[in-house]
Amino acid sequence: MPLHIGLYAPNMHGTADLHGTRRIATLAEDLGYDSLWVADHVVVPAPRVEPSPIEPDEPLLDPLVTLAYIAAVTSRIRLATGCVVVPQRNPLVLAKQLASVDVLSGGRLHFGAVAGYLVPELRTLGVDVASRGRRLDESLRAIFSLWYDRKPSFHGEFVDFEGVDAHPRPIQRPVPLVIGGHSAPAHRRAVTDGDEWYGFMLGLRATAEQLRLLRGAADGIVRDKPPLKISVTPARRLDPDVVRSFAELGVDRLVIAAPAGAGLAEFEEFVVNNAPERLEALARGQV
């Protein structure tokens, strides 16, 4: 297989309970998926309004709590926030939670971060929508200071601290930073600060356009990191030709999502049918 296969949202729909989360996480690891990506919404509007992705009574477990639980029942699979809405959280509390997940998982965390798009949620949690991008940028710098600086400190518009510290630090140095989002600011963050960019529910043409925009955002930027990796949750059913086409575009990982509202049995069937080894066998004509 020319790219990795990850799995989205073992913390919602029919998997959002003790048995479901454990079953899907351990099954995905056994079947060779390279990563698990957890969804994030603290609250959603009731009644549902666009662009809310779920009904207000649909279960969705907290992403950091879920990753801590998955870390305890798995040993190899990578664990990613896909993506956490950073402006809705105190960055120092978030830094502690993420570092704890990295430690308890043995260094398997991918920190996926977004500014957020669901206006009722942002406003309910006290976030000024117009400033959410600046909040995200400051929060990331504050988190990294707490993780990597000998004497952490940060002084900004939204975050201000010094004379404090927090341990344990993450095992990984650095923790891979995944920037999510399809906007120009998200592209700018990805090419300047990110190790990886994550696009959600994209087809081949939309992915190609996003990659074109990322290349444009990178013009004139001198990165002090390896080349930006690309992960995408595809908006279409997988088959060998689709997988091959995404790889040819330059995608490094497909983070596949089960059908919306899937119960545990349907989710489990989806995980089995799209397992990396099975997709490889389909590509070779052996299934």
Side-chain angles (χ1 to χ4, degrees):
M1 183 77 63
L3 48 69
H4 298 292
I5 304 294
L7 182 65
Y8 180 73
N11 64 322
M12 63 188 302
H13 306 310
T15 67
D17 60 29
L18 179 69
H19 171 68
T21 298
R22 180 185 185 117
R23 173 57 181 154
I24 294 302
T26 56
L27 179 64
E29 181 170 74
D30 290 344
L31 291 176
Y33 286 82
D34 93 302
S35 52
L36 290 166
W37 297 62
V38 290
D40 178 34
H41 285 287
V42 176
V43 294
V44 294
R48 182 179 181 179
V49 295
E50 293 295 333
S52 180
I54 59 175
E55 296 295 334
D57 61 350
E58 189 160 357
L60 172 58
L61 297 173
D62 177 87
L64 282 307
V65 173
T66 303
L67 287 186
Y69 175 66
I70 291 175
V73 300
T74 60
S75 60
R76 302 179 306 277
I77 198 165
R78 302 290 298 180
L79 308 177
T81 55
C83 293
V84 65
V85 184
V86 173
Q88 297 180 165
R89 290 170 169 79
N90 180 297
L92 301 190
V93 175
L94 180 59
K96 170 64 81 172
Q97 293 170 323
L98 290 165
S100 298
V101 170
D102 196 57
V103 169
L104 292 175
S105 68
R108 290 186 277 149
L109 177 68
H110 283 234
F111 173 25
V114 291
Y117 67 92
L118 193 55
V119 171
E121 179 183 25
L122 290 160
R123 287 179 174 165
T124 298
L125 293 168
V127 178
D128 173 55
V129 175
S131 68
R132 69 192 189 281
R134 301 199 308 276
R135 284 180 179 270
L136 171 56
D137 292 334
E138 282 198 9
S139 294
L140 292 176
R141 294 197 294 274
I143 288 169
F144 295 154
S145 179
L146 200 59
W147 283 353
Y148 308 131
D149 292 347
R150 187 173 64 86
K151 294 184 176 180
S153 67
F154 185 83
H155 303 285
E157 180 183 0
F158 307 103
V159 188
D160 192 308
F161 70 90
E162 65 179 332
V164 297
D165 209 336
H167 288 265
R169 302 286 180 88
I171 290 176
Q172 299 177 97
R173 299 183 68 85
V175 172
L177 174 62
V178 183
I179 298 295
H182 306 153
S183 67
H187 297 150
R188 186 264 307 163
R189 287 184 197 98
V191 300
T192 56
D193 300 321
D195 300 290
E196 192 166 334
W197 173 82
Y198 178 39
F200 189 69
M201 284 296 167
L202 299 176
L204 288 166
R205 282 183 296 215
T207 299
E209 175 63 9
Q210 287 292 308
L211 296 183
R212 183 188 70 79
L213 293 170
L214 283 164
R215 289 191 294 270
D219 286 347
I221 300 295
V222 178
R223 280 176 60 89
D224 59 357
K225 295 173 174 249
L228 185 70
K229 293 183 178 180
I230 304 297
S231 289
V232 170
T233 290
R236 59 188 299 178
R237 183 176 178 178
L238 288 190
D239 60 42
D241 289 337
V242 169
V243 173
R244 190 178 303 111
S245 295
F246 274 106
E248 290 171 352
L249 286 176
V251 173
D252 299 290
R253 178 189 290 110
L254 291 178
V255 183
I256 61 173
L264 179 57
E266 184 181 2
F267 204 123
E268 187 172 341
E269 182 181 12
F270 175 86
V271 172
V272 171
N273 288 342
N274 290 279
E277 287 188 3
R278 187 172 190 277
L279 290 175
E280 289 180 356
L282 284 169
R284 295 192 300 266
Q286 296 177 354
V287 174

